[in-house]
Amino acid sequence: MTRNRLIMVLTVAVFLTGIVLFPVVNGKPVWCQEPAAVMTLESTEIEDEEAAGDAVTITAEQVEEARETTSDRIYGLVGLWALIAVVIYIVRFQVKDDERLYRTGYYNRDIE
Amino acid sequence: MRLKESLLSRRDFFTGLLGGGLAALAGFIGYPVVRFLFHRKKIPLPKGVTIAMTDIEKMAPNSAAYFTYGNLPGVLLKTETGELRAFSAKCTHLDCNVQYRPEEKKFFCACHDGYFDDQGLNIAGPPPRPMDVFSVEPGEENLVVRYQEESKHT
Amino acid sequence: MIDVKKMISERVGLGAVVSLARKKMVPMHRHSVWYYMGGMLLFLFMVQLVTGPLLLFFYKPSAESAYQSIQEIMVTVPYGWLIRSVHHWASNLMIVVAFVHFFSTFLMKAYRRPREVTWLTGMALFVVVLFLGYTGYTLPFDERAWFALNVGTDMPGAIPVVGQYMLEFLRGGPTVGDHTLNRFFALHVGILPLALMVVLGVHLLLVQLHGMSVPKSVEEESESKKEPIPAKPMFPHLVWHDIINCLILFGMLVTLAVFMPSTLEAPIDYLKPAPEGVKPDWFFLWVYQILKWMPTYVLGLEGEVVGIVGLSVVAGFVALAPFVDWKSQRNQRSPLFTVIGIASLLVFLLCTVIGFVY
């Protein structure tokens, strides 16, 4: 008991000292020193018509264009449905196999 | 010899089949997601920038000043003799911005103590190659600064 | 050879989970189809959990750039239109399935003892899902979002006493603007999904704890026939069906996204008058229609106040159904609440359709 109390008192003392010392030590950031202020120069970009950057403004027409149901999208969709159909077909195999396991008495189906 | 039983149970076969099907589906769905995530913005560098000569005249000899070059920071050095040299201010080690130390006539990178001389050559510390150099053409009113594709050492 | 399966199951205790799932039996009867709704909702929520953060890679939540960032998602980012549209349709389907889940649970009186808390968490989830739908709708900050923000945040203002505080809390100021978008963004991507996940966790745990509720009619039939209700194990049987449902649902999502990608209205014009026929999203149409029918004054009180307070009372009544439905509570049949359920379903459907057409 005495030992526990001693540990408690010590912990509190350490934390209190920490709280008092923290602002003192932390007054100045120690991880780096700010570099001296530097001189900066104003620079103007030379106009360039060829530069192929992303369009700055997008119009409502472009958005509508992006929403169009293109043939690519339909092919992709058909592909997705085909894959889904195949996977469902395989899952149904599993279901049938489960039925078989049930019939052979592998497990029962009563609510406990 | 013919085995009495198949090594692969009926159940394992179906499980494998299902795993394959689901993997194919995941790939099909994953493709657009990956394309979406890996979209990078195209930000071309400008053909060049101009800096007013009147501003450069304000620079003391043996000093450096910074300017923007598209998305890159550039640093212009005026030597003691008044010669102008321009570099990309990014250290070739890990892209920190360098600072000029007039007393040593060196560029210094504070991140990992890298040094370049006043020609941009890496002389001490971790930088693997010299700083990227911009070409400078002094004119009547403006200094034209251009990024040189060939100056990019790889 | 190293048995990876065994190695993993030894370390994370997969075996316990599987044996728990194997132990769970799902009763099979003519109403069993409604049991799938929860699984579908869970799947749709997972779709949102994937597509939502993806959209965050490009979305910028500020009045200045929100609209443009959505434009970029639609036009410049590869498959941005797809991700956004799937997110949009999954949210709509989520609300549809949530309504079905809600009404089917209500009509089967699945809230009977001991599932009252499951019901309450379900109601909370329903409210969160509706608000997720509403807040998401406003994020593109287009014209439609503008009116939704104004009308939606104005409505709580009609509530007596606390109304004005709620209005300003939702708007982040006296009027709608950049600050409102910030709030709605925080709600949509931070607070509401987190709340949903926490309450959903409790909801699912409780469902596992109590097992599936069997409607009174089915229970009575099996008692009179002296036959137990047939059941199937949750794992693997029902899980297969869940997988099939989810696959079909996912196919539907992408189909909707391809043929009806989400739209983007004109950018906000602060001075433009509201366009004719401006309406809330479909899931709030019934509220909108009922409020439209309210006369300006009811017994000297403002019609809107009466409408909003009335609807809140109805919502509270439904939430407390397991405590009000005394017959179900005594494990008896409760035809009154079946009538109440069907009547509210009809009112909901009718008001939604009328709101849609007119």
Side-chain angles (χ1 to χ4, degrees):
Chain A
M1 276 319 272
T2 344
R3 200 177 60 179
N4 277 359
R5 275 189 201 153
L6 194 67
I7 291 171
M8 268 161 70
V9 169
L10 272 176
T11 319
V12 170
V14 166
F15 271 96
L16 282 180
T17 332
I19 288 166
V20 174
L21 285 181
F22 185 76
V24 182
V25 179
N26 199 42
K28 203 171 121 196
V30 286
W31 65 276
C32 76
Q33 272 183 309
E34 279 296 311
V38 290
M39 181 177 173
T40 54
L41 298 167
E42 193 82 27
S43 68
T44 323
E45 285 188 19
I46 297 170
E47 291 289 323
D48 186 359
E49 293 92 40
E50 296 158 42
D54 285 331
V56 181
T57 46
I58 295 167
T59 60
E61 288 78 47
Q62 278 175 299
V63 175
E64 281 313 303
E65 215 174 284
R67 291 181 66 249
E68 264 169 36
T69 315
T70 56
S71 52
D72 282 13
R73 290 181 189 185
I74 294 181
Y75 293 144
L77 188 65
V78 171
L80 178 72
W81 273 113
L83 259 176
I84 288 176
V86 170
V87 175
I88 289 178
Y89 192 68
I90 301 171
V91 169
R92 293 195 52 89
F93 265 135
Q94 291 269 17
V95 175
K96 278 186 196 152
D97 200 47
D98 284 334
E99 291 290 324
R100 191 181 61 86
L101 288 177
Y102 164 63
R103 277 200 307 276
T104 52
Y106 192 70
Y107 58 78
N108 66 40
R109 283 179 183 174
D110 302 324
I111 294 187
E112 283 165 40
Chain B
M1 187 185 96
R2 228 184 112 90
L3 289 171
K4 272 186 201 150
E5 278 175 62
S6 163
L7 282 176
L8 195 68
S9 77
R10 194 182 150 80
R11 188 78 190 173
D12 286 344
F13 174 69
F14 287 142
T15 309
L17 209 59
L18 184 66
L22 286 177
L25 198 62
F28 202 84
I29 297 163
Y31 175 74
V33 173
V34 170
R35 284 286 310 278
F36 179 89
L37 281 177
F38 278 76
H39 171 68
R40 288 142 308 183
K41 255 189 134 71
K42 287 191 203 98
I43 305 166
L45 278 178
K47 232 171 157 183
V49 300
T50 57
I51 300 169
M53 280 311 240
T54 47
D55 286 346
I56 294 169
E57 276 154 24
K58 285 177 203 151
M59 284 172 72
N62 192 22
S63 76
Y66 293 79
F67 60 93
T68 55
Y69 191 90
N71 269 9
L72 280 184
V75 60
L76 184 72
L77 173 70
K78 194 180 204 177
T79 62
E80 267 174 337
T81 56
E83 195 193 327
L84 293 173
R85 294 173 196 158
F87 308 95
S88 157
K90 279 192 182 297
C91 172
T92 52
H93 178 223
L94 289 173
D95 278 2
C96 291
N97 283 10
V98 296
Q99 50 183 292
Y100 185 64
R101 290 193 157 168
E103 62 278 10
E104 296 171 64
K105 290 189 184 151
K106 279 175 192 162
F107 286 103
F108 167 62
C109 176
C111 284
H112 304 95
D113 284 348
Y115 284 92
F116 301 89
D117 68 5
D118 59 359
Q119 302 281 349
L121 282 175
N122 47 331
I123 47 173
R129 56 189 167 83
M131 294 201 289
D132 294 341
V133 185
F134 292 117
S135 72
V136 285
E137 295 164 32
E140 286 284 296
E141 283 175 23
N142 288 319
L143 177 79
V144 181
V145 180
R146 284 203 168 89
Y147 183 74
Q148 290 173 303
E149 213 47 63
E150 62 273 23
S151 81
K152 196 175 162 70
H153 312 268
T154 42
Chain C
M1 218 179 92
I2 307 165
D3 191 346
V4 180
K5 219 171 171 179
K6 197 181 152 207
M7 246 171 71
I8 295 173
S9 103
E10 207 174 37
R11 279 156 185 81
V12 296
L14 265 185
V17 178
V18 171
S19 70
L20 192 79
R22 268 194 207 285
K23 239 169 89 180
K24 190 186 172 190
M25 301 294 281
V26 178
M28 296 314 270
H29 49 79
R30 61 175 185 278
H31 293 306
S32 282
V33 61
W34 306 113
Y35 293 155
Y36 291 126
M37 296 304 140
M40 282 159 77
L41 275 172
L42 195 61
F43 171 72
L44 287 167
F45 180 53
M46 288 195 286
V47 170
Q48 300 304 66
L49 278 188
V50 173
T51 51
L54 283 176
L55 290 171
L56 282 182
F57 272 66
F58 298 102
Y59 175 73
K60 298 184 185 113
S62 86
E64 267 167 42
S65 42
Y67 186 80
Q68 205 195 340
S69 69
I70 298 281
Q71 280 185 322
E72 276 176 28
I73 288 171
M74 292 301 280
V75 177
T76 16
V77 183
Y79 296 103
W81 63 273
L82 181 64
I83 309 273
R84 176 168 177 244
S85 304
V86 167
H87 193 73
H88 168 87
W89 282 111
S91 92
N92 277 286
L93 280 189
M94 207 167 157
I95 294 166
V96 173
V97 183
F99 269 113
V100 177
H101 192 44
F102 163 69
F103 278 115
S104 61
T105 322
F106 187 88
L107 289 173
M108 294 197 295
K109 318 284 168 13
Y111 50 71
R112 321 198 285 285
R113 212 175 61 162
R115 298 185 176 80
E116 294 97 330
V117 182
T118 320
W119 170 262
L120 288 177
T121 52
M123 286 301 290
L125 287 172
F126 196 20
V127 171
V128 173
V129 166
L130 286 177
F131 276 96
L132 270 168
Y134 168 60
T135 50
Y137 187 79
T138 61
L139 295 186
F141 221 53
D142 58 358
E143 213 170 48
R144 194 174 44 180
W146 177 248
F147 294 112
L149 274 171
N150 274 295
V151 177
T153 54
D154 190 70
M155 275 215 276
I159 299 170
V161 191
V162 290
Q164 195 58 29
Y165 291 103
M166 277 180 74
L167 180 148
E168 295 210 5
F169 169 74
L170 283 171
R171 289 185 175 176
T175 51
V176 176
D178 199 23
H179 40 276
T180 318
L181 182 62
N182 258 41
R183 264 154 203 263
F184 274 60
F185 177 70
L187 283 170
H188 188 76
V189 310
I191 294 161
L192 292 176
L194 269 179
L196 189 70
M197 277 189 263
V198 171
V199 185
L200 183 63
V202 178
H203 193 70
L204 290 177
L205 263 178
L206 288 173
V207 171
Q208 291 304 312
L209 183 72
H210 295 307
M212 308 308 289
S213 155
V214 179
K216 198 80 203 98
S217 58
V218 178
E219 256 179 30
E220 279 173 7
E221 269 169 42
S222 92
E223 267 164 39
S224 64
K225 276 195 233 155
K226 299 215 160 48
E227 270 174 20
I229 302 161
K232 277 186 179 181
M234 175 77 190
F235 185 84
H237 286 72
L238 271 295
V239 171
W240 294 137
H241 288 287
D242 274 332
I243 289 178
I244 293 175
N245 287 340
C246 295
L247 287 171
I248 293 173
L249 212 54
F250 187 74
M252 278 166 61
L253 282 179
V254 179
T255 310
L256 285 164
V258 166
F259 290 107
M260 282 182 270
S262 27
T263 53
L264 187 63
E265 304 289 309
I268 292 172
D269 183 345
Y270 291 82
L271 301 177
K272 202 175 148 188
E276 257 179 72
V278 60
K279 278 174 196 174
D281 219 348
W282 66 267
F283 48 88
F284 281 132
L285 265 182
W286 58 287
V287 178
Y288 160 86
Q289 191 55 45
I290 289 170
L291 290 182
K292 218 162 98 173
W293 278 331
M294 293 305 289
T296 323
Y297 286 101
V298 181
L299 303 169
L301 291 163
E302 243 182 88
E304 200 188 296
V305 179
V306 175
I308 289 173
V309 172
L311 284 170
S312 312
V313 169
V314 172
F317 180 77
V318 173
L320 295 176
F323 308 103
V324 190
D325 186 358
W326 67 95
K327 276 198 158 168
S328 290
Q329 200 63 324
R330 274 189 246 123
N331 208 12
Q332 292 165 350
R333 278 184 173 230
S334 172
L336 175 65
F337 273 74
T338 310
V339 172
I340 292 176
I342 292 173
S344 14
L345 177 60
L346 286 177
V347 169
F348 162 68
L349 288 177
L350 217 68
C351 289
T352 305
V353 170
I354 291 171
F356 198 74
V357 178
Y358 295 102

